[in-house]
Amino acid sequence: MARMSEPTPAEKPVRPRVLSGIQPTSDSFHFGNYLGALRQWVELQETHEPFFFIANMHALTLEQEPKKLRERTFVAAAQLMAMGIDPQRSAIFVQSHMPEHAELAWVLQCLTGFGEARRMTQFKDKSAKAGEGSSSVGLFTYPILQAADILLYRPAYVPVGEDQRQHLELTRDLAQRFNHRYKRAFRLPEPYILKETAKILDLQNPAIKMSKSNSSPGGIVEMLDDPKVSAKKVRSAVTDSGSEIRFDPETKPGISNLLTIYSALSGRSIEDLVTSYEGQGYGALKGDLADVVVDFVTPFRNRTLELLDDRAELERVLRAGAETAGAVARATLADVYDRVGFVGR
Ligand code: ATP
Ligand code: LTN
């Protein structure tokens, strides 16, 4: 019996869920990851019921060294916590701790058309490198596992960068198909993509997005890099012809990208920045942004290293996250199995 002072379940405010994942495929997250997606995770946990996970099963779609994959999983968890994901509020877990993801993925694979999967642009891009014939089937079915990751938790929003929009659309299509065929089981999740930071560009080649697989070392700012190195990368960023500081992503992609990063890190509006740099050259803006970057990454890096020093605590957080997530995932999967006609054990 609930005591009088405690809210009954009906009175408890129901927070909409958010869910997102990130692959542990590099030694550090980069500014594209942080500004495009992870920063929103931190904000949304204040007002939503958050589930955040490390997508180590997705990482396996390209070859990974086992030792590195294991280490990077912890580094990813430590970075999430260092940037403000609070394990008291958010379930932080590892995808492979949750067998339900692969189990639901199988059911969804049986609802996905071959042609539909083939249209995924990320598969086209990533398979082009090794050639389609030698790419893994896992790379091909990657977006279906992602749909399972999402639908298991019935989230309202999925905070990601622009490059994930197509996967979110597939997820919604599959949810709709399932609901139509087997009676409504899934809610349709909305992508949560912030327009301003949806696509952070490479500092050396503003024609492409900042990315761990395509950027040159000078084009990508890594959150855990030596802050002096990051400052240097900002100061050497490629800028556009002319010298006027103006926000115009079409004709001035380099300087506009720096303004976007500056605005996101400092909380100052783009207009305010443009006004205050009026009449000054690119060098002044880059120099100041380099300082802002150093002030931002230094405490982040220190905190991450501190968290990495206590593996037992990280393991405890990930176990607790798996407990919370497991209860939701098991219930959804049981419902799905029942609807499709699998007999109970
Ligand atoms: P890859 O090069 O292997 O595609 P990546 O560097 O693009 O990797 P992911 O691990 O695929 O990074 O992305 C993690 C999250 O960060 C996703 O939500 C993705 O949309 C977002 N993201 C990645 N790069 C950027 C970027 N340049 N701008 C905005 N968001 C980004
Ligand atoms: N594909 C995403 C990672 C990812 C994800 C998810 C994101 C795997 N499963 C579920 C949101 C929801 C990426 O980072 N490239």
Side-chain angles (χ1 to χ4, degrees), residues 19-21 23 53 55 58 142 146 149-150 158 160 164:
L19 169 129
S20 198
Q23 300 185 68
F53 70 95
H58 277 104
Y142 176 121
Q146 183 166 352
D149 297 337
I150 297 170
V158 182
V160 284
Q164 295 300 310

Side-chain angles (χ1 to χ4, degrees), residues 91-105:
I92 310 175
F93 62 98
V94 177
Q95 189 182 28
S96 64
H97 287 170
M98 227 57 80
E100 292 81 6
H101 290 228
E103 291 173 312
L104 178 60

